[in-house]
Structures are given as structure tokens and as C-alpha cells.
Amino acid sequence: MCGIVGALAQRNVNEILLEGLRRLEYRGYDSAGVCLVDGDSQLQLRKSQGKVADLEARLAAAPAAGQLGIAHTRWATHGAPSDRNAHPHVSGQIALVHNGIIENHQPLRAELRDKGYQFTSDTDTEVVVHLIHSLAGDGRDLLAAVTAATDRLEGAYALGVISADEPETLVCARSGSPLVVGVGIEENFIASDPMALRQVTDRFIFLEEGDVAEISRAGITVRDKQGEEVSRPVHKLDGGHDAADKGRYRHYMQKEIFEQPAVVEATLAGRIGDKSVLSEALGARAHEILPEVQQVQIVACGTSYHAGLVARYWLEDWAGIPCSVEVASEIRYRKTAVRPGTLFVTISQSGETADTLAALRQAKELGYLASMTICNVPNSSLVRESELSLMTEAGPEIGVASTKAFTTQLVALQLFCIALAKVNGLSTEREAELVKALHQLPQLMEQFTGLDQLVQDTSEAFAEKHHALFLGRGVEYPIALEGALKLKEISYIHAEAYPAGELKHGPLALVDADMPVVVVAPNDELLEKLKSNLQEVRARGGQLFVFASPQAGFTSEPGVTVVEVPDAPESLAPILYTVPLQLLSYHVALLKGTDVDQPRNLAKSVTVE
Ligand code: AGP
């Protein structure tokens, strides 16, 4: 999704901006651009469809330098990917980059056209730069013009704005899209994600909704949405978040799959004792809130939504607490009936997903008991705006396809479910059994990543396929959903997941010798039911690929490939069986030659609706 970087320093900031864009590449984008104010107070604009490398080539052909600049990676919403739609957009002496969507861009465009402004792009963003220009005129009080313009904007925005007439000032504003100010020594920066600036600073101000900031080399002044000057804290981020290195791996996704034993361990660290989940695991306020919880509403998107679906099985089974799970883009637009005592739980890797954040903000008006987020990014909007937060310790996830974020979400959710079950009568024996299994998880995870070669061999059967079906039953159904999502995301093979018992109600019609059917088959109480469903597939010539432990009693035969996985405690099966499915999609994508880390049309952090 779109990325913003800006800098004001006593040195040429061009390379700082480009490095920032490179660090944001993982988020997914289709064009990039930079605009600098040069020594003659002229705007130097360079833009290019394609990758940051294409922009660099353009800069090599037509160099630009300056001590003030803004840069952007664009993920197309209004208008196709192209040079002219790429940001920054310019009006007179003013240049602007924007993340988000301006919903009232059409009436504003008509109004500005009437004033004589000519549009050179199809974007909603260009409206904003002309609006600021119309309010400022070339070179007159950029801050006042940006502030006045934000009053006219509907929708979501993070803005970085410069004027060639004010080479000592960088102005930025946010509402609905994240933006941070990076604090340096006699130099300051802005970015949509702190990761873009980790090479120049470790100190950040997280702007709040409606903030407008005026940045000079020497200082930062922030005004809130009422125009009052406010003091926002400076956060020092620790050094462990610079993940812009693939190490010995070919892709970030591959690296992140293999990091899972370590990050799962990090997510458990300090949160479980020998036989119990430690009460501090969910934060200081958990002991007040958990006993009041009578129901749980989980809200998330994509892979994080699948994690929520798994948690529902655990919550209802272990805690006896009713749980609903819904995608954020749906729940935020329907009338919901909220029962007293309902805890609102969001799950998100990034903590910035626009739909999830909007659903949380709406939930605050609806009488929920409290809000909690399971999140991977400290200081993200979801963490800051939720009453409780349980951090996953996955470290930065760069591959667009979520892998280690998902399994660490499942670990954090399992801790949450056990903690809630404890205040709802979970026996100490059962808790000890679940915690004992969790202690084994990192080592078992290692064994499951060791299936790599076996899964790679299996992946060849998928390379020429156009469709695939994933089946699971019970708590493995969401894992089948996640396996199908991974395959479609990075290999572009159409994949669907069904609870195996639903086959005969429709999808069985799709099954023939060309349809690979992937089955998640741990040795649990539904195994025999699952086996009957698989007979239905075999009888129609379907090709089965069964992920099962030897104890499940499957054998490979013509039409049935068994990928034998290590035996594991039932409570861990959803977490562990995810790994070979991730590996499967990774190897199929390699065979198909797709862009594994930045699949087409997708963005890492979906900060627009
Ligand atoms: C997962 O592989 C996807 N890239 C996507 O579904 C993702 O999980 C979703 O956009 C939610 O993101 P979040 O966890 O950052 O909120």
C-alpha cells in the first residue's frame, strides 16, 4: 500500500528518501516518485511507474538534490498505475504526497476546475494539492493552507507537503492513515511507517487523528484537530526492528516461514510458567476485565481473520464463552446487537488495517465491555486505541503473504483463551496439559519446517493446475482457509477451502482428476468423519494430498499422496499444520515464477478501505 517519506536536513536528502522508499517496498506499490526543493528554490520532481529501481534510473538520468524533499510509493486506487498518476503531485510551487482516499474528491475537483485549475492525473490526491494551492497561493503560509485544506477533506489521509517558497518547512497531517515524525539532530523526517526511517533515527512521534505538524530543522510543532498546540511524546524504538535483510534466504516469505520456531518461542517467553499461563501475560488490566467477559466478538481481515476463526473453537471449548468472528469490512457497515459483557477483540499484524481500525472506533460507541487487540506492531493505531493489547513477537513481517504473524497470532490467542478459560472454570490439570504442549511448540515447529523438501517434491503436482480445493474439519477448517489464501495470494492459482462435511452440498461437483484436493488431517476426534469425506473425493477421481501424522493411518497410493508430518498434541495442530501449507504455496509460487514477496495487486498493510 502507499508509503510516504519526507526529510528536512542540512544535507542532500535524496538518498534518505530513496532508502526510505526501498524499506517500504514490501508493502506493495506500483509507482514511485520524489520531489526535492533544490538550492535555487525550485521543485525537482521525478516519478516513475514500476519499482523504486525505475525511479532511481530516472534520477540517474536526471539527477536532483535538495535538503528538503518528499517521496512516495503509490498503490493505485483512483487511476491506473502510471507516471502521471504517481505522487508527488504539484500545484505551482507546492508539492504533496498522500496516503488514503479522499471521498469528496469529485465536488472538490469541480470547484477547483471552476477556479481554473487544470488536472494532469486521475487521482483523488491531485485535488488536495490544488486545494492547498488555492488556499495559499504560491509561497504564502503553507501551514495555514494545509490546515484550512484538511477542514475540507472527507475520507482518510496522511499528507506530506512542501513548498519551494518555504524551503525551511515540511508540513504534514493525518486523519485515518498513519503518519510518524522521525526526530533527528538538526534534521527531522516524516514517514507512514517508522521502518522507513530506521537508518536515520530511532525516535518517533506518532501523530494522532486530526494532527497537523509543522517541521523545521530545529523543531516540530504539532496542532490537534482543534488547532491547539499539543505536546506529543517522543518514543524511542528499540534496535531490533531493522529487518530489511533476507539473510541466507531467497525470499522474505521463506525467511519468515523458517523464523517461526524462534518467534513462537519469543511470543511465549515470560507468559507461561511450568504448568500455567502467567496472569501478567495479558497486561495489567486483564485481571479486572477478564472476569467480566461473557462473550467475545473477534474482528479482523484476511489471515488475521482466519486466526480469529481458530480462536473461536478454543474459546467455546475451553472457556465455554460464546464467540463470534467477523471480517472488519462487514461488521463496520451493519447494525450489530451487542450483549452486555462482550469483549471486542481485534487481530492484526500491522495494527493499521483501515477496516479493522474503523470497526474498533465504531465499537467504542456500541457498549462493548472493553477492547483488546492482538497485534505485531507496538505503537500502531490499534495498540494505541485498544484498552488491552497482547503483542505477538513475530518481528517485522516483510512478505505480503502473512506467515509468522499468523502462527504467533495463534499462540497469543491460545494464551488469551486459556487465561479466559481459567476464570471460567478450566481445571488446573487441563491448563497444565495445554501449557505443557505449548512448551513443546518451538521444537515441534522446527520439525514441521523440516518438511520443506518433502513439500517441495509435492508442490510439482500443483504447478500446472488452475484450481485447488482445501479441506479440513473442526478447528482445521480455518487452517484450510488459510492454506487456500496463501496459495491464491502468491501462486495465483484459484483455491477454495471447505469444511470437508460440506463437500457433498456442492463443491463435489468440481472434483475430477484435474482438481488437487489438499487435506489437513490431524489425528483428532473428527478423523474418521474426514476419512469418509475423502472417500467421496476418491470415488470421483479427485487427487488427494493429505497432510497427516503416521498415527492417522493414511497410506500413499495412486491418487493419494500422504505428506507425513510429525505427531503433535491436538491443541497445537492448527498452529503446526499451517507450516507445510505455507511451504506448499511458497514452492508452487517458485515453480510458477511469481513475485513471492510482492504478489501482484496486493499490499502488505491495507490502510485504505
Ligand atoms: C495475508 O497473507 C494477507 N496479506 C492479508 O490477508 C492480511 O492478513 C490482511 O490484510 C490483514 O492484515 P493485518 O493483519 O495487518 O490487519
Side-chain angles (χ1 to χ4, degrees), residues 531-543:
K531 283 182 174 171
S532 310
N533 303 140
L534 301 189
Q535 288 308 322
E536 297 161 8
V537 175
R538 279 307 297 136
R540 274 102 192 151
Q543 304 294 301

Side-chain angles (χ1 to χ4, degrees), residues 190-225:
I190 61 167
S192 49
D193 181 332
M195 192 189 279
L197 300 173
R198 295 311 301 265
Q199 79 281 20
V200 283
T201 186
D202 59 359
R203 293 185 301 143
F204 294 92
I205 294 170
F206 293 86
L207 295 180
E208 295 188 6
E209 286 297 275
D211 281 356
V212 178
E214 185 182 33
I215 295 163
S216 65
R217 287 189 188 89
I220 297 148
T221 308
V222 182
R223 289 190 171 73
D224 66 11
K225 60 172 107 149

Side-chain angles (χ1 to χ4, degrees), residues 170-342:
L170 170 59
V171 176
C172 63
R174 75 154 281 190
S175 179
S177 294
L179 196 68
V180 299
V181 179
V183 182
I185 299 167
E186 293 294 307
E187 54 183 18
N188 290 306
F189 313 92
I190 61 167
S192 49
D193 181 332
M195 192 189 279
L197 300 173
R198 295 311 301 265
Q199 79 281 20
V200 283
T201 186
D202 59 359
R203 293 185 301 143
F204 294 92
I205 294 170
F206 293 86
L207 295 180
E208 295 188 6
E209 286 297 275
D211 281 356
V212 178
E214 185 182 33
I215 295 163
S216 65
R217 287 189 188 89
I220 297 148
T221 308
V222 182
R223 289 190 171 73
D224 66 11
K225 60 172 107 149
Q226 282 75 39
E228 300 295 325
E229 197 171 317
V230 283
S231 162
R232 300 275 180 240
V234 178
H235 297 268
K236 190 167 186 311
L237 300 191
D238 66 40
H241 291 262
D242 196 347
D245 176 13
K246 286 201 268 278
R248 64 191 167 91
Y249 295 98
R250 197 167 153 193
H251 295 99
Y252 284 112
M253 181 185 179
Q254 185 190 25
K255 175 181 177 234
E256 287 157 5
I257 290 172
F258 283 90
E259 279 173 351
Q260 288 177 110
V263 294
V264 152
E265 190 163 7
T267 303
L268 288 170
R271 290 170 168 165
I272 49 173
D274 269 3
K275 295 182 175 169
S276 64
V277 169
L278 302 177
S279 54
E280 303 78 31
L282 300 187
R285 290 197 57 210
H287 71 280
E288 298 162 27
I289 293 174
L290 291 192
E292 304 299 317
V293 176
Q294 291 168 34
Q295 197 158 316
V296 173
Q297 173 68 63
I298 297 179
V299 171
C301 303
T303 287
S304 298
Y305 166 70
H306 295 157
L309 290 176
V310 172
R312 180 173 63 182
Y313 288 87
W314 292 337
L315 264 185
E316 300 212 352
D317 181 0
W318 304 341
I321 296 271
C323 174
S324 309
V325 190
E326 192 161 342
V327 288
S329 54
E330 283 298 314
I331 199 166
R332 63 179 288 200
Y333 288 116
R334 72 181 180 84
K335 290 238 172 353
T336 48
V338 181
R339 283 189 185 275
T342 306

Side-chain angles (χ1 to χ4, degrees), residues 387-398:
E387 287 152 285
L388 295 180
S389 52
L390 180 53
M391 301 310 299
T392 50
E393 300 293 338
E397 190 180 66
I398 308 288

Side-chain angles (χ1 to χ4, degrees), residues 431-448:
E431 182 182 5
E433 200 183 316
L434 292 170
V435 171
K436 185 176 167 209
L438 282 171
H439 279 292
Q440 297 169 38
L441 182 59
Q443 204 198 349
L444 282 164
M445 210 61 173
E446 196 77 57
Q447 291 176 26
F448 273 71

Side-chain angles (χ1 to χ4, degrees), residues 551-564:
Q551 285 73 7
F554 289 96
T555 38
S556 290
E557 57 186 76
V560 182
T561 303
V562 179
V563 180
E564 219 168 76

Side-chain angles (χ1 to χ4, degrees), residues 301-304 347-350 353 400-402 409 485-486 489 606:
C301 303
T303 287
S304 298
I347 308 171
S348 174
Q349 185 283 129
S350 62
T353 300
V400 163
S402 197
Q409 282 168 351
L485 178 65
K486 285 289 91 80
E489 259 186 312
V606 185

